[in-house]
Amino acid sequence: MAERDKKKKSNKRETGIGLALWILAALILLVAFLMLKPRIDSNLKQTDAFNKLGLEEPESVKNAKVPETGKNDVNPMETVEIDLNDNSSSKSTSTVTAKNETAKNQQNAQKEIEAAANNSESKVKTEAKNETTASNTKKETSVKKDVKVTSDPVKTMELKLFFMYINSEGKQIRTEVVRTMKKSESPLMDAINALIAGPSAEEEKKYSCITMIPRNTKLIGASVRNGVATLNFNDEFEYNQYGTEGLRNQVIQIVYTATAFRTVESVQILVAGEKREFLGSEGVWIGSPLNRNSF
């Protein structure tokens, strides 16, 4: 009887120890489950497991927070392993699947290929741009070399001016001088004004000529109509220091110079805008148009 009682007590002790161990293991699993429950709920919500199985999601799964990419260590492609052999704690290990690793390698390879292609395309574009720029520069240089900058030549005209030459006997002789001048819209006025100004230093030296027109004379206006040139002078035109001969020769200079133009046949002289019969107190006829045959 004593031995039977000892066995019963021993069996009860062993049963109590085993039950305690099972309870301890259950507590460890419960603690591990509670610690990992938010992560498990998050994974279940992220993978949509309940909906795929046609089951209603629990409130804990619905309210679970799904980690953002790059902000949480949880990866939907990772698996969680629980080591039941360690009774003191539970640890979570992450293993990257071969499929994820292969996809990552393929992406890296694709990026390298695209980068190489972009570099090659950029290099080709840069070379083409450089060639185009060099070609344009060469073409522009060639064009600039061929183009010669030329200014428009100044248009000139030759005018016949009539001055007076005084010989050794003191006689005044009409002298024709051809002068090249800049072309203008009023060549008749240019010729009469040049006549009033007198011969140039070169002309005076070459022809020994002078002008008989009074120094302060000014041409007020000039017009040509029906072959008659009307020339209007100021009052100084009728005062000549050489007397009657000087007055006559100044009129000859005006008439010969004006009628050198093909459009002028005769000249009507006005003084201060008035038509007068005689020029000066001694009288030189200017009351009608004069031509070369008038002298």
Side-chain angles (χ1 to χ4, degrees):
M1 286 294 292
E3 292 180 0
R4 189 178 296 176
D5 292 336
K6 287 181 180 180
K7 286 183 180 181
K8 285 182 180 181
K9 290 180 179 180
S10 177
N11 290 335
K12 287 180 181 181
R13 187 180 299 171
E14 291 177 358
T15 302
I17 293 172
L19 182 60
L21 290 175
W22 277 106
I23 292 172
L24 180 61
L27 289 174
I28 292 173
L29 290 174
L30 179 60
V31 171
F33 176 76
L34 292 176
M35 292 177 63
L36 297 175
K37 189 174 185 305
R39 184 176 295 185
I40 294 171
D41 289 341
S42 176
N43 288 338
L44 290 174
K45 183 176 182 179
Q46 191 172 4
T47 57
D48 200 17
F50 284 93
N51 290 332
K52 290 180 180 179
L53 296 174
L55 300 176
E56 184 179 357
E57 285 185 346
E59 289 299 324
S60 60
V61 175
K62 289 181 180 180
N63 298 328
K65 294 183 179 180
V66 179
E68 297 180 4
T69 305
K71 294 184 180 181
N72 201 305
D73 294 337
V74 179
N75 192 319
M77 297 301 295
E78 295 178 353
T79 60
V80 178
E81 296 181 357
I82 301 175
D83 189 2
L84 298 178
N85 295 323
D86 189 357
N87 294 330
S88 61
S89 63
S90 63
K91 61 181 179 178
S92 171
T93 59
S94 300
T95 59
V96 180
T97 61
K99 180 178 179 181
N100 191 25
E101 195 69 33
T102 302
K104 189 174 181 181
N105 292 336
Q106 289 179 352
Q107 290 179 357
N108 292 335
Q110 183 67 24
K111 288 181 180 179
E112 291 178 358
I113 293 173
E114 290 178 357
N118 291 334
N119 290 336
S120 177
E121 183 179 359
S122 177
K123 185 177 181 180
V124 170
K125 287 183 178 179
T126 302
E127 292 177 354
K129 184 177 180 180
N130 292 337
E131 291 179 0
T132 303
T133 303
S135 176
N136 291 337
T137 303
K138 184 177 181 181
K139 188 182 295 183
E140 183 179 356
T141 303
S142 177
V143 170
K144 286 184 178 180
K145 188 180 292 184
D146 294 339
V147 173
K148 294 181 180 179
V149 178
T150 57
S151 58
D152 294 335
V154 178
K155 295 182 180 180
T156 60
M157 59 181 178
E158 290 186 349
L159 298 179
K160 292 181 180 180
L161 307 179
F162 288 85
F163 297 105
M164 288 296 171
Y165 164 70
I166 302 177
N167 61 13
S168 57
E169 298 177 356
K171 188 176 181 179
Q172 298 178 7
I173 302 173
R174 185 182 66 252
T175 302
E176 178 182 315
V177 175
V178 179
R179 184 184 296 181
T180 301
M181 299 178 63
K182 183 179 179 181
K183 193 172 183 179
S184 69
E185 295 181 356
S186 55
L188 178 59
M189 293 189 68
D190 291 342
I192 299 301
N193 284 326
L195 195 65
I196 295 172
S200 64
E202 184 180 353
E203 293 167 345
E204 188 175 354
K205 182 178 180 181
K206 183 177 181 180
Y207 300 104
S208 300
C209 58
I210 61 172
T211 181
M212 289 294 177
I213 301 175
R215 181 177 300 176
N216 295 324
T217 298
K218 292 183 180 180
L219 178 64
I220 299 174
S223 62
V224 178
R225 183 176 182 182
N226 297 327
V228 179
T230 301
L231 303 177
N232 184 20
F233 297 95
N234 64 347
D235 290 330
E236 298 295 329
F237 184 72
E238 63 177 337
Y239 301 105
N240 195 297
Q241 62 178 341
Y242 297 103
T244 304
E245 188 176 3
L247 288 171
R248 183 175 182 274
N249 286 331
Q250 79 181 53
V251 173
I252 289 175
Q253 284 184 247
I254 296 294
V255 172
Y256 269 79
T257 299
T259 55
F261 292 92
R262 291 180 296 178
T263 57
V264 179
E265 296 176 0
S266 60
V267 179
Q268 177 64 62
I269 295 176
L270 303 179
V271 178
E274 297 179 359
K275 184 178 178 181
R276 301 182 183 180
E277 292 184 356
F278 295 97
L279 180 66
S281 59
E282 299 182 9
V284 175
W285 177 258
I286 59 171
S288 61
L290 304 174
N291 54 37
R292 293 187 179 187
N293 294 328
S294 300
F295 306 97

